[in-house]
Amino acid sequence: MVILLNLASAAALLIWSVRLVRTGFERAFGGQLRRWLRLSTSSRFKAAACGSLAAILLQSSTAVAVLMAGFMTAGTIDGVVGLTILLGADLGSAIVAQLLNSSLSVVAPVLLLAGVVTFLRSSRRRLRQIGRISVGLALLFMSLDLIRAASTPLIDGQQSMTVILYLADEPSAAFIVAAVFAWLVHSSVAAVLLFVTMAGQGIIPPEAAFAMVLGANLGGSLIALVLTLKSGVAVRRAVLANLLLRGGGAAGLVYLLSVFPEIPRALGAEPAQQVLNLHLAFNAALLLLCLPLVSLIYRAVSLIVADSNAEADAAARDSALDPDALDTPKRAFSCAVRELVHIGGQVEAMHRKVITLFDGFDEMAAQAIRAQNQSVAQRSLKVRIYLAGVHGKEGEEEIGTRAIDLAGIAANLEAAADMISRKMVGLAETMSLENLRFSQDGWSDLTDFHDTVYRNLQLSISVMMNEDPSLARALVEQKETVRDIAQKLEKKHLYRLKQGLSESIETSSIHLDLLRSLKAVNTSFAMIAYPLLSDSGQLLESRLAAS
């Protein structure tokens, strides 16, 4: 039991280390990664390469799938490009396993020391996240050493031999167990590293290790499928296609290895190296074989995942405002928050879709945004009326303050929706009527800024749901960042005007109006954080300097 406990704790440290590295990269370089992925649509090879690079940095193909889903939902990339990015990310995760199982582990003490010092001594957010990444990598290498040390006594055990013989004779069982394990820990990279280490120690035979690593590929694909079940049709098609290709290919290779067991011998001399090389070769071959056929594969999956009905995509859900809860303020406010989260999701969807109108105006899409604005206005009014009816016997002043705060959030969400529906849709329509186009640099600046605001909108909704002061503080800090970015982009636009670029001159008013509209939407959502920061004593009463 002690041996198994040590092995389980070492595996837990491995899983946590992979997560630590991934979150560090997301927080330090998430914006750049999102930009690379969004700009990777010019060719399939570029999309696959960007997917691989993103998976290497994030230590996870699942994280790339989540990013890809956001871009597809926003209409920035199509389903074929999304599938290509996923296939590239699968290869990237296999490369990560190779790198993390290499001799780099000798630098673990240096990484740990440098990471802790950087994290504790740095005041800049990005440097602190780089320290987090360094600590995560050091712990990852240390966890692999702990797994090797903890598993050594199991090699000669009678019970271990029984399990080894069973797994060697039943590769299909090993395949399924590994797929379930990878799905449970939500990391195919951690699962593969664990199986490779155990194969190197002789705990599991090579035949079982091959099946388990291939099973981890299936489990990794299942993670993305579960996380995107409620996404749009295009996202679900791309993720399902990747599951069928990666999971089906892995299952087919398990059968092939049972018929031709000598194949892995060409992949290395040691069992661990054979397992790693098989994992890498499988994902590389899958990408090379499928890359020319991604369009055909995506169309084939479209027959399985058909276009959903309009009512299914935009199903109206019942209001969360429960009239019976008005006499119980705590319940009533909880109902109001749930309704505000839903309204925030509606405005987020409007913001996500509106940028595509500037690339090609679609009257039906514009009408859908206007209709959603009307829905937001109606729901916002109902929330304010509902909050006005909340009453209780004790704590009347506190009840009134909370109701005012929530009513203010409703008003800000309505203002953001109105800005998107009236101002931004109107600007896109004007561009279409006058047949105008942004300059290439101007359009790139605007889409990057739109993406930055979009991430802040998502953060705002998280603040509403969790009421976490640290998230609220990050949101307000992002408000300042957005203001600085907007100023820099205005200066860049004026510089292009100075150069006499005709496209910049023709669209100057629309360009600046769109920048300011995006900034206003960001401000409306950032206001969600102020009541929470005020309650926790983290908000100054005035930004004015003392006279």
Side-chain angles (χ1 to χ4, degrees):
M1 288 299 295
V2 172
I3 293 171
L4 291 176
L5 181 61
N6 288 334
L7 187 60
S9 62
L13 180 61
L14 171 63
I15 296 165
W16 175 253
S17 304
V18 172
R19 176 181 170 81
L20 199 63
V21 174
R22 183 176 72 248
T23 54
F25 268 108
E26 287 175 346
R27 295 174 184 177
F29 307 106
Q32 288 89 331
L33 286 173
R34 292 171 66 88
R35 192 172 298 114
W36 291 341
L37 287 176
R38 198 184 68 247
L39 298 177
S40 68
T41 59
S42 57
S43 71
R44 294 178 184 177
F45 290 102
K46 189 174 181 180
C50 286
S52 295
L53 179 61
I56 291 171
L57 294 177
L58 293 174
Q59 313 275 293
S60 170
S61 59
T62 303
V64 177
V66 173
L67 290 176
M68 179 275 305
F71 289 129
M72 288 184 65
T73 304
T76 309
I77 62 176
D78 60 26
V80 174
V81 174
L83 176 57
T84 307
I85 289 174
L86 287 178
L87 291 171
D90 295 338
L91 176 60
S93 67
I95 295 173
V96 167
Q98 288 275 356
L99 294 174
L100 296 180
N101 202 65
S102 65
S103 56
L104 291 174
S105 59
V106 296
V107 300
V110 178
L111 287 173
L112 185 60
L113 179 61
V116 171
V117 171
T118 302
F119 186 84
L120 295 179
R121 299 296 298 272
S122 298
S123 58
R124 295 176 58 186
R125 183 173 182 271
R126 176 166 290 187
L127 283 177
R128 286 172 61 86
Q129 297 308 319
I130 291 174
R132 179 191 294 271
I133 295 167
S134 182
V135 170
L137 288 172
L139 293 178
L140 195 152
F141 292 133
M142 293 170 64
S143 67
L144 293 176
D145 290 336
L146 288 174
I147 290 172
R148 295 185 185 102
S151 58
T152 301
L154 291 175
I155 299 174
D156 299 325
Q158 183 62 40
Q159 296 170 327
S160 301
M161 290 303 300
T162 303
V163 175
I164 289 172
L165 293 174
Y166 174 75
L167 292 176
D169 292 336
E170 296 291 341
S172 58
F175 178 80
I176 294 172
V177 167
V180 173
F181 177 80
W183 178 76
L184 287 174
V185 302
H186 269 49
S187 175
S188 60
V189 172
V192 168
L193 288 173
L194 177 63
F195 301 149
V196 168
T197 303
M198 294 175 73
Q201 290 294 99
I203 297 177
I204 55 176
E207 297 81 6
F210 298 145
M212 295 179 80
V213 165
L214 291 171
N217 282 273
L218 172 60
S221 303
L222 281 171
I223 299 168
L225 182 70
V226 173
L227 292 176
T228 57
L229 281 177
K230 295 184 179 180
S231 299
V233 175
V235 175
R236 286 184 280 122
R237 285 173 180 168
V239 173
L240 178 61
N242 183 63
L243 171 64
L244 294 175
L245 292 172
R246 194 181 182 194
L253 187 54
V254 169
Y255 173 75
L256 189 65
L257 291 177
S258 66
V259 178
F260 302 102
E262 67 277 1
I263 292 178
R265 296 173 187 170
L267 300 175
E270 299 295 328
Q273 197 59 46
Q274 289 177 354
V275 174
L276 271 176
N277 289 340
L278 178 70
H279 179 50
L280 180 63
F282 166 69
N283 284 282
L286 188 67
L287 176 61
L288 293 175
L289 290 174
C290 296
L291 200 58
L293 305 172
V294 284
S295 298
L296 183 62
I297 294 170
Y298 186 80
R299 285 198 296 271
V301 175
S302 300
L303 300 176
I304 302 174
V305 183
D307 290 323
S308 56
N309 296 325
E311 63 268 22
D313 283 338
R317 70 171 185 83
D318 294 333
S319 173
L321 304 177
D322 183 5
D324 295 334
L326 289 173
D327 292 333
T328 311
K330 188 173 182 180
R331 278 184 57 204
F333 292 145
S334 177
C335 292
V337 169
R338 291 204 309 273
E339 187 69 7
L340 289 173
V341 169
H342 178 70
I343 295 173
Q346 284 185 294
V347 183
E348 177 197 352
M350 293 169 62
H351 175 82
R352 197 171 59 220
K353 296 171 184 175
V354 74
I355 196 66
T356 60
L357 298 179
F358 290 89
D359 195 33
F361 190 78
D362 183 345
E363 181 59 35
M364 290 187 64
Q367 288 293 347
I369 292 175
R370 295 187 184 107
Q372 206 149 23
N373 181 44
Q374 294 178 357
S375 173
V376 168
Q378 293 170 359
R379 285 179 177 271
S380 176
L381 178 60
K382 289 178 180 178
V383 168
R384 295 196 296 273
I385 293 173
Y386 181 82
L387 290 169
V390 177
H391 50 82
K393 295 181 180 179
E394 298 179 1
E396 293 291 342
E397 183 178 349
E398 181 181 349
I399 290 172
T401 302
R402 179 62 169 159
I404 291 171
D405 290 341
L406 294 177
I409 292 175
N412 282 315
L413 293 177
E414 184 178 348
D418 197 62
M419 178 63 69
I420 295 169
S421 174
R422 297 181 187 275
K423 186 68 174 180
M424 295 170 68
V425 171
L427 292 173
E429 188 173 17
T430 300
M431 280 194 67
S432 176
L433 292 173
E434 298 181 10
N435 198 25
L436 299 176
R437 301 287 293 181
F438 292 119
S439 67
Q440 184 175 354
D441 289 341
W443 177 239
S444 177
D445 287 345
L446 289 169
T447 51
D448 287 346
F449 191 52
H450 172 271
D451 187 54
T452 299
V453 174
Y454 176 60
R455 284 184 278 126
N456 288 342
L457 264 58
Q458 292 177 319
L459 178 58
S460 303
I461 295 173
S462 296
V463 171
M464 275 196 291
M465 294 173 62
N466 300 312
E467 298 187 345
D468 184 345
S470 63
L471 289 179
R473 189 178 185 87
L475 179 58
V476 174
E477 289 173 350
Q478 283 299 309
K479 178 175 177 284
E480 304 300 318
T481 301
V482 165
R483 184 186 62 189
D484 294 340
I485 293 174
Q487 291 176 350
K488 290 178 183 178
L489 294 182
E490 286 189 17
K491 290 179 181 178
K492 288 179 66 177
H493 175 70
L494 293 176
Y495 179 74
R496 287 192 292 271
L497 291 180
K498 185 178 180 180
Q499 290 180 315
L501 296 177
S502 59
E503 291 173 319
S504 296
I505 294 172
E506 291 171 348
T507 61
S508 180
S509 296
I510 296 176
H511 185 105
L512 293 175
D513 279 348
L514 182 55
L515 274 178
R516 290 162 188 162
S517 298
L518 289 168
K519 180 184 172 185
V521 170
N522 184 83
T523 299
S524 294
F525 270 80
M527 296 301 292
I528 292 170
Y530 282 78
L532 191 59
L533 292 177
S534 179
D535 291 342
S536 60
Q538 300 184 51
L539 195 65
L540 296 176
E541 292 185 3
S542 174
R543 291 176 57 187
L544 293 174
S547 60

